[in-house]
Amino acid sequence: MAQVKLLCSFALFLFITGANSAATFTMVNKCQQTIWPGLLSNAGIAPLSTTGFALQRGESRTITVPSSWGGRFWGRTHCTEDSTGKFTCATGDCGSGKLECAGGNAAPPATLAEFTLDGSGGMDFFDVSLVDGYNLPMLVVPQGGTGNNCTATGCVVDLNGACPSELKVQSVGGENVACKSACEAFGQDEYCCARAYNNPNTCKPSSYSMLFKKACPSAYSFAYDDKTSTFTCAGASNYLITFCPSPNTSQKSSSSSGGQSQEPDDKNNNDNKPSSTMDNSMVYDGAWDVSTASSTTCMHVISSPAIAGAVAFLTATFQLHRHLF
Protein backbone atom coordinates (compact mmCIF):
# COMPACT_ATOMS: atom_id res chain seq x y z
CA MET A 1 0.00 0.00 0.00
CA ALA A 2 2.88 2.32 0.84
CA GLN A 3 4.31 1.72 -2.60
CA VAL A 4 0.99 2.63 -4.24
CA LYS A 5 0.83 5.85 -2.22
CA LEU A 6 4.37 6.71 -3.21
CA LEU A 7 3.59 6.01 -6.87
CA CYS A 8 0.51 8.22 -6.65
CA SER A 9 2.46 11.00 -4.93
CA PHE A 10 5.16 10.83 -7.57
CA ALA A 11 2.58 10.89 -10.37
CA LEU A 12 0.85 13.91 -8.89
CA PHE A 13 4.18 15.68 -8.48
CA LEU A 14 5.02 15.06 -12.12
CA PHE A 15 1.62 16.30 -13.23
CA ILE A 16 1.81 19.52 -11.16
CA THR A 17 5.39 20.34 -12.14
CA GLY A 18 5.55 19.04 -15.69
CA ALA A 19 2.11 18.81 -17.25
CA ASN A 20 2.54 22.14 -18.99
CA SER A 21 5.87 21.19 -20.59
CA ALA A 22 4.02 20.63 -23.85
CA ALA A 23 0.72 21.63 -25.43
CA THR A 24 -1.55 19.86 -27.86
CA PHE A 25 -3.74 20.90 -30.76
CA THR A 26 -6.50 18.62 -32.01
CA MET A 27 -7.65 19.32 -35.56
CA VAL A 28 -11.02 17.97 -36.68
CA ASN A 29 -12.37 17.96 -40.24
CA LYS A 30 -16.16 18.36 -40.39
CA CYS A 31 -16.06 19.59 -43.98
CA GLN A 32 -17.76 17.59 -46.71
CA GLN A 33 -14.42 17.01 -48.42
CA THR A 34 -10.80 16.29 -47.57
CA ILE A 35 -8.73 19.21 -46.36
CA TRP A 36 -4.97 19.46 -45.98
CA PRO A 37 -3.95 21.40 -42.85
CA GLY A 38 -0.80 23.49 -43.09
CA LEU A 39 1.37 24.30 -40.05
CA LEU A 40 3.97 27.06 -39.78
CA SER A 41 6.10 28.00 -36.77
CA ASN A 42 6.89 31.65 -36.14
CA ALA A 43 10.32 33.02 -37.08
CA GLY A 44 13.03 31.70 -34.78
CA ILE A 45 10.93 28.74 -33.58
CA ALA A 46 11.79 25.22 -34.70
CA PRO A 47 9.36 23.56 -37.13
CA LEU A 48 6.98 20.95 -35.80
CA SER A 49 7.28 17.23 -36.51
CA THR A 50 4.78 17.67 -39.33
CA THR A 51 4.06 20.80 -41.37
CA GLY A 52 1.26 19.44 -43.53
CA PHE A 53 -0.94 16.39 -43.89
CA ALA A 54 -4.28 15.15 -45.26
CA LEU A 55 -7.37 15.09 -43.06
CA GLN A 56 -10.26 13.11 -44.48
CA ARG A 57 -13.88 14.00 -43.77
CA GLY A 58 -14.67 13.17 -40.13
CA GLU A 59 -11.05 12.54 -39.17
CA SER A 60 -9.10 14.20 -36.38
CA ARG A 61 -5.43 14.44 -35.52
CA THR A 62 -3.63 15.67 -32.42
CA ILE A 63 -0.31 17.50 -32.67
CA THR A 64 2.03 18.02 -29.71
CA VAL A 65 4.01 21.28 -29.60
CA PRO A 66 6.54 22.79 -27.15
CA SER A 67 5.05 24.84 -24.32
CA SER A 68 6.42 28.13 -25.71
CA TRP A 69 5.54 27.46 -29.34
CA GLY A 70 4.08 30.11 -31.63
CA GLY A 71 2.73 29.79 -35.14
CA ARG A 72 -0.33 29.26 -37.29
CA PHE A 73 -2.62 26.58 -38.68
CA TRP A 74 -4.85 26.71 -41.75
CA GLY A 75 -6.74 24.41 -44.08
CA ARG A 76 -5.74 23.88 -47.71
CA THR A 77 -8.50 22.89 -50.12
CA HIS A 78 -8.90 21.34 -53.58
CA CYS A 79 -5.39 19.89 -53.55
CA THR A 80 -4.00 17.66 -56.29
CA GLU A 81 -0.75 15.97 -57.24
CA ASP A 82 0.27 15.95 -60.89
CA SER A 83 2.13 13.27 -62.84
CA THR A 84 5.49 14.64 -61.73
CA GLY A 85 4.53 14.47 -58.04
CA LYS A 86 4.03 18.20 -57.61
CA PHE A 87 1.43 18.92 -54.94
CA THR A 88 -0.68 22.09 -55.24
CA CYS A 89 -3.86 23.45 -53.67
CA ALA A 90 -6.48 25.88 -54.98
CA THR A 91 -6.60 27.69 -51.62
CA GLY A 92 -4.08 27.99 -48.80
CA ASP A 93 -1.23 26.60 -50.92
CA CYS A 94 2.13 26.93 -49.17
CA GLY A 95 4.29 26.77 -52.28
CA SER A 96 6.40 23.78 -51.27
CA GLY A 97 5.10 21.56 -54.07
CA LYS A 98 4.71 18.80 -51.47
CA LEU A 99 2.26 17.62 -48.83
CA GLU A 100 4.53 19.05 -46.13
CA CYS A 101 4.70 22.84 -46.20
CA ALA A 102 8.31 22.78 -44.93
CA GLY A 103 8.38 26.42 -43.86
CA GLY A 104 6.02 27.73 -46.52
CA ASN A 105 3.28 30.15 -45.52
CA ALA A 106 -0.37 30.08 -46.58
CA ALA A 107 -1.03 31.88 -49.85
CA PRO A 108 -3.96 34.24 -49.31
CA PRO A 109 -6.87 34.05 -49.10
CA ALA A 110 -6.91 31.65 -46.17
CA THR A 111 -8.55 31.50 -42.75
CA LEU A 112 -5.79 31.38 -40.11
CA ALA A 113 -5.64 30.18 -36.51
CA GLU A 114 -2.73 31.98 -34.84
CA PHE A 115 -1.11 31.12 -31.49
CA THR A 116 1.57 32.38 -29.13
CA LEU A 117 1.86 29.98 -26.19
CA ASP A 118 3.35 30.95 -22.84
CA GLY A 119 3.55 34.62 -23.84
CA SER A 120 3.35 37.72 -21.67
CA GLY A 121 2.44 36.81 -18.09
CA GLY A 122 2.57 33.11 -18.98
CA MET A 123 -0.65 33.43 -20.98
CA ASP A 124 -1.48 31.77 -24.30
CA PHE A 125 -2.60 34.28 -26.94
CA PHE A 126 -4.70 33.09 -29.87
CA ASP A 127 -7.02 34.34 -32.59
CA VAL A 128 -8.72 33.40 -35.82
CA SER A 129 -7.78 35.84 -38.57
CA LEU A 130 -9.48 36.83 -41.81
CA VAL A 131 -6.92 39.58 -42.47
CA ASP A 132 -5.47 37.44 -45.27
CA GLY A 133 -8.94 36.57 -46.54
CA TYR A 134 -11.12 33.52 -46.00
CA ASN A 135 -11.37 30.01 -47.39
CA LEU A 136 -12.94 27.81 -44.69
CA PRO A 137 -15.11 28.12 -41.59
CA MET A 138 -12.99 27.51 -38.49
CA LEU A 139 -13.63 27.28 -34.75
CA VAL A 140 -10.95 27.30 -32.02
CA VAL A 141 -12.00 26.03 -28.57
CA PRO A 142 -9.57 26.04 -25.62
CA GLN A 143 -9.95 23.09 -23.29
CA GLY A 144 -9.04 23.17 -19.61
CA GLY A 145 -7.83 26.78 -19.55
CA THR A 146 -8.74 29.65 -17.23
CA GLY A 147 -9.12 33.39 -17.64
CA ASN A 148 -11.78 36.00 -18.31
CA ASN A 149 -11.03 35.89 -22.04
CA CYS A 150 -10.44 32.14 -22.33
CA THR A 151 -13.25 31.22 -24.68
CA ALA A 152 -14.01 29.94 -28.17
CA THR A 153 -13.37 32.09 -31.23
CA GLY A 154 -13.58 31.67 -34.96
CA CYS A 155 -15.69 32.11 -38.04
CA VAL A 156 -18.39 29.46 -38.41
CA VAL A 157 -20.16 31.13 -41.33
CA ASP A 158 -19.59 30.13 -44.96
CA LEU A 159 -18.47 33.43 -46.47
CA ASN A 160 -17.64 32.08 -49.92
CA GLY A 161 -21.20 32.31 -51.19
CA ALA A 162 -21.76 35.79 -49.76
CA CYS A 163 -18.40 37.16 -50.91
CA PRO A 164 -18.57 40.33 -53.05
CA SER A 165 -17.87 39.56 -56.70
CA GLU A 166 -14.69 41.66 -56.72
CA LEU A 167 -13.24 39.52 -53.90
CA LYS A 168 -14.38 36.09 -55.05
CA VAL A 169 -11.96 33.31 -55.90
CA GLN A 170 -13.38 30.55 -58.07
CA SER A 171 -12.12 27.13 -59.02
CA VAL A 172 -11.63 26.06 -62.62
CA GLY A 173 -15.12 24.60 -62.45
CA GLY A 174 -16.66 27.88 -61.30
CA GLU A 175 -17.10 26.98 -57.62
CA ASN A 176 -16.63 29.77 -55.06
CA VAL A 177 -13.67 28.49 -53.04
CA ALA A 178 -12.36 31.59 -51.22
CA CYS A 179 -12.90 35.28 -50.51
CA LYS A 180 -10.00 37.73 -50.81
CA SER A 181 -9.27 40.53 -48.41
CA ALA A 182 -9.53 44.04 -49.83
CA CYS A 183 -5.76 44.36 -49.44
CA GLU A 184 -5.18 41.28 -51.59
CA ALA A 185 -7.74 42.35 -54.16
CA PHE A 186 -6.80 46.02 -54.56
CA GLY A 187 -3.34 46.43 -52.97
CA GLN A 188 -4.10 49.90 -51.63
CA ASP A 189 -2.37 51.17 -48.48
CA GLU A 190 -5.60 52.04 -46.71
CA TYR A 191 -6.78 48.43 -47.05
CA CYS A 192 -3.38 46.94 -46.25
CA CYS A 193 -2.62 49.20 -43.26
CA ALA A 194 0.65 50.12 -44.96
CA ARG A 195 2.85 53.24 -44.96
CA ALA A 196 0.81 56.18 -43.67
CA TYR A 197 -1.91 53.78 -42.58
CA ASN A 198 0.43 51.53 -40.59
CA ASN A 199 -0.88 52.44 -37.13
CA PRO A 200 -4.16 51.99 -35.24
CA ASN A 201 -5.06 55.67 -35.53
CA THR A 202 -5.06 55.77 -39.32
CA CYS A 203 -5.89 52.17 -40.22
CA LYS A 204 -9.66 51.91 -39.90
CA PRO A 205 -12.19 49.23 -40.85
CA SER A 206 -13.25 49.33 -44.50
CA SER A 207 -16.63 48.44 -45.91
CA TYR A 208 -15.09 45.11 -46.94
CA SER A 209 -13.59 44.26 -43.55
CA MET A 210 -16.90 45.18 -41.95
CA LEU A 211 -18.59 42.48 -44.00
CA PHE A 212 -16.22 39.95 -42.43
CA LYS A 213 -16.71 41.44 -38.97
CA LYS A 214 -20.48 41.39 -39.17
CA ALA A 215 -20.48 37.73 -40.16
CA CYS A 216 -17.75 36.68 -37.70
CA PRO A 217 -17.61 39.17 -34.78
CA SER A 218 -14.81 37.44 -32.85
CA ALA A 219 -12.42 36.98 -35.80
CA TYR A 220 -9.80 39.49 -36.93
CA SER A 221 -11.17 41.45 -39.87
CA PHE A 222 -8.31 43.93 -40.37
CA ALA A 223 -4.80 44.39 -38.98
CA TYR A 224 -5.69 46.47 -35.91
CA ASP A 225 -8.82 44.59 -34.89
CA ASP A 226 -7.22 43.58 -31.57
CA LYS A 227 -9.81 44.63 -28.98
CA THR A 228 -12.48 42.12 -29.95
CA SER A 229 -10.35 39.45 -31.62
CA THR A 230 -7.44 38.46 -29.34
CA PHE A 231 -8.08 35.79 -26.72
CA THR A 232 -5.98 34.56 -23.81
CA CYS A 233 -5.87 31.45 -21.64
CA ALA A 234 -3.77 30.18 -18.76
CA GLY A 235 -3.12 26.47 -18.52
CA ALA A 236 -5.17 25.22 -21.47
CA SER A 237 -4.51 21.50 -21.92
CA ASN A 238 -5.55 21.39 -25.56
CA TYR A 239 -6.84 23.62 -28.34
CA LEU A 240 -9.56 22.05 -30.47
CA ILE A 241 -9.50 23.40 -34.05
CA THR A 242 -12.56 22.43 -36.07
CA PHE A 243 -12.73 23.03 -39.79
CA CYS A 244 -16.30 23.57 -41.05
CA PRO A 245 -18.11 23.40 -37.71
CA SER A 246 -21.78 22.88 -38.35
CA PRO A 247 -24.15 25.89 -38.00
CA ASN A 248 -25.81 24.26 -34.99
CA THR A 249 -22.53 23.74 -33.17
CA SER A 250 -22.70 25.00 -29.60
CA GLN A 251 -19.86 25.60 -27.17
CA LYS A 252 -20.42 23.76 -23.90
CA SER A 253 -18.62 25.13 -20.87
CA SER A 254 -17.86 23.26 -17.66
CA SER A 255 -16.00 24.86 -14.79
CA SER A 256 -15.16 23.89 -11.25
CA SER A 257 -12.89 26.75 -10.19
CA GLY A 258 -12.97 29.18 -13.07
CA GLY A 259 -11.63 26.76 -15.68
CA GLN A 260 -13.37 26.26 -18.98
CA SER A 261 -13.59 23.23 -21.19
CA GLN A 262 -15.52 23.73 -24.37
CA GLU A 263 -16.16 21.49 -27.32
CA PRO A 264 -18.59 21.29 -30.21
CA ASP A 265 -21.86 19.50 -29.66
CA ASP A 266 -22.92 18.30 -33.10
CA LYS A 267 -26.01 16.22 -32.54
CA ASN A 268 -27.11 16.23 -36.17
CA ASN A 269 -23.82 15.13 -37.68
CA ASN A 270 -23.29 11.66 -36.23
CA ASP A 271 -21.87 10.46 -39.53
CA ASN A 272 -19.20 13.10 -39.25
CA LYS A 273 -18.28 12.60 -35.59
CA PRO A 274 -14.54 12.96 -35.01
CA SER A 275 -12.51 10.19 -33.45
CA SER A 276 -11.98 9.74 -29.74
CA THR A 277 -8.92 11.99 -29.67
CA MET A 278 -11.37 14.82 -29.02
CA ASP A 279 -12.47 13.33 -25.72
CA ASN A 280 -9.30 12.14 -24.02
CA SER A 281 -8.14 15.44 -22.52
CA MET A 282 -8.88 15.88 -18.83
CA VAL A 283 -9.24 19.06 -16.80
CA TYR A 284 -7.51 19.37 -13.43
CA ASP A 285 -8.23 22.46 -11.34
CA GLY A 286 -6.37 23.48 -8.20
CA ALA A 287 -4.01 21.46 -6.00
CA TRP A 288 -4.77 18.08 -4.46
CA ASP A 289 -4.15 16.66 -1.01
CA VAL A 290 -2.16 13.54 -1.88
CA SER A 291 -3.02 11.85 1.39
CA THR A 292 -6.72 11.83 0.49
CA ALA A 293 -6.39 11.13 -3.24
CA SER A 294 -8.33 8.02 -4.19
CA SER A 295 -6.81 5.22 -6.20
CA THR A 296 -9.12 6.23 -9.08
CA THR A 297 -7.70 9.76 -9.06
CA CYS A 298 -4.20 8.34 -9.00
CA MET A 299 -4.93 6.11 -11.98
CA HIS A 300 -6.27 9.09 -13.97
CA VAL A 301 -3.04 10.96 -13.37
CA ILE A 302 -0.83 7.98 -14.11
CA SER A 303 -2.69 7.52 -17.41
CA SER A 304 -1.43 10.92 -18.59
CA PRO A 305 0.91 10.25 -21.57
CA ALA A 306 3.27 13.00 -20.40
CA ILE A 307 4.22 11.09 -17.25
CA ALA A 308 3.47 7.47 -18.13
CA GLY A 309 7.10 6.73 -18.93
CA ALA A 310 8.38 8.16 -15.66
CA VAL A 311 5.83 6.24 -13.62
CA ALA A 312 6.70 3.03 -15.47
CA PHE A 313 10.36 3.62 -14.61
CA LEU A 314 9.53 4.11 -10.94
CA THR A 315 7.41 0.93 -10.92
CA ALA A 316 10.27 -1.05 -12.43
CA THR A 317 12.60 0.32 -9.77
CA PHE A 318 10.27 -0.91 -7.02
CA GLN A 319 10.09 -4.35 -8.60
CA LEU A 320 13.88 -4.57 -8.85
CA HIS A 321 14.19 -3.47 -5.21
CA ARG A 322 11.86 -6.27 -4.10
CA HIS A 323 13.81 -8.93 -5.98
CA LEU A 324 17.19 -7.77 -4.72
CA PHE A 325 16.27 -7.20 -1.13
Side-chain angles (χ1 to χ4, degrees):
M1 183 65 183
Q3 292 178 357
V4 173
K5 286 185 176 180
L6 184 56
L7 272 171
C8 194
S9 300
F10 182 67
L12 289 171
F13 170 78
L14 284 173
F15 176 82
I16 294 169
T17 59
N20 292 326
S21 61
T24 59
F25 293 89
T26 298
M27 281 168 273
V28 182
N29 179 15
K30 289 193 175 183
C31 302
Q32 295 300 308
Q33 72 278 352
T34 303
I35 61 168
W36 291 261
L39 300 79
L40 176 66
S41 298
N42 289 341
I45 298 178
L48 300 178
S49 58
T50 180
T51 58
F53 54 89
L55 201 60
Q56 303 293 328
R57 174 185 174 184
E59 283 189 339
S60 66
R61 179 166 175 175
T62 297
I63 305 295
T64 301
V65 305
S67 59
S68 296
W69 182 81
R72 54 178 51 182
F73 303 91
W74 68 96
R76 295 171 287 176
T77 67
H78 303 277
C79 301
T80 57
E81 186 174 321
D82 67 17
S83 59
T84 67
K86 184 178 181 180
F87 183 84
T88 57
C89 301
T91 76
D93 191 81
C94 51
S96 66
K98 300 178 180 179
L99 180 62
E100 296 273 347
C101 285
N105 202 352
T111 310
L112 305 174
E114 303 174 316
F115 295 86
T116 299
L117 304 184
D118 193 22
S120 177
M123 302 290 286
D124 295 346
F125 292 76
F126 63 100
D127 65 79
V128 169
S129 175
L130 308 181
V131 175
D132 287 342
Y134 167 100
N135 70 331
L136 283 172
M138 181 188 291
L139 180 68
V140 174
V141 181
Q143 298 182 311
T146 60
N148 294 332
N149 203 24
C150 183
T151 187
T153 183
C155 183
V156 301
V157 179
D158 183 1
L159 296 178
N160 289 332
C163 183
S165 59
E166 60 269 35
L167 305 183
K168 281 184 180 180
V169 176
Q170 295 184 320
S171 67
V172 175
E175 179 184 355
N176 296 326
V177 295
C179 189
K180 294 180 181 179
S181 67
C183 174
E184 176 72 12
F186 310 120
Q188 297 178 12
D189 291 350
E190 62 184 290
Y191 294 133
C192 299
C193 294
R195 298 182 177 86
Y197 296 91
N198 190 20
N199 68 76
N201 295 321
T202 56
C203 183
K204 302 298 182 181
S206 68
S207 59
Y208 294 106
S209 70
M210 290 301 292
L211 290 175
F212 286 167
K213 195 65 177 177
K214 184 177 180 180
C216 304
S218 68
Y220 261 87
S221 59
F222 73 106
Y224 290 101
D225 194 10
D226 302 89
K227 291 183 180 180
T228 59
S229 304
T230 299
F231 296 82
T232 56
C233 283
S237 59
N238 178 65
Y239 287 94
L240 179 63
I241 302 173
T242 304
F243 298 99
C244 305
S246 60
N248 66 322
T249 296
S250 62
Q251 287 76 57
K252 290 183 176 179
S253 176
S254 61
S255 174
S256 58
S257 61
Q260 292 181 327
S261 179
Q262 298 173 300
E263 61 185 78
D265 177 25
D266 196 358
K267 297 180 180 178
N268 296 329
N269 276 319
N270 293 329
D271 62 324
N272 227 7
K273 186 175 292 184
S275 67
S276 59
T277 55
M278 285 180 57
D279 303 316
N280 61 11
S281 61
M282 301 183 67
V283 181
Y284 299 89
D285 291 321
W288 295 326
D289 180 357
V290 175
S291 64
T292 60
S294 68
S295 59
T296 301
T297 300
C298 182
M299 289 305 104
H300 281 317
V301 177
I302 292 175
S303 68
S304 171
I307 62 175
V311 175
F313 172 79
L314 184 60
T315 303
T317 302
F318 272 119
Q319 295 297 327
L320 179 61
H321 181 274
R322 290 177 61 188
H323 285 296
L324 292 178
F325 301 98

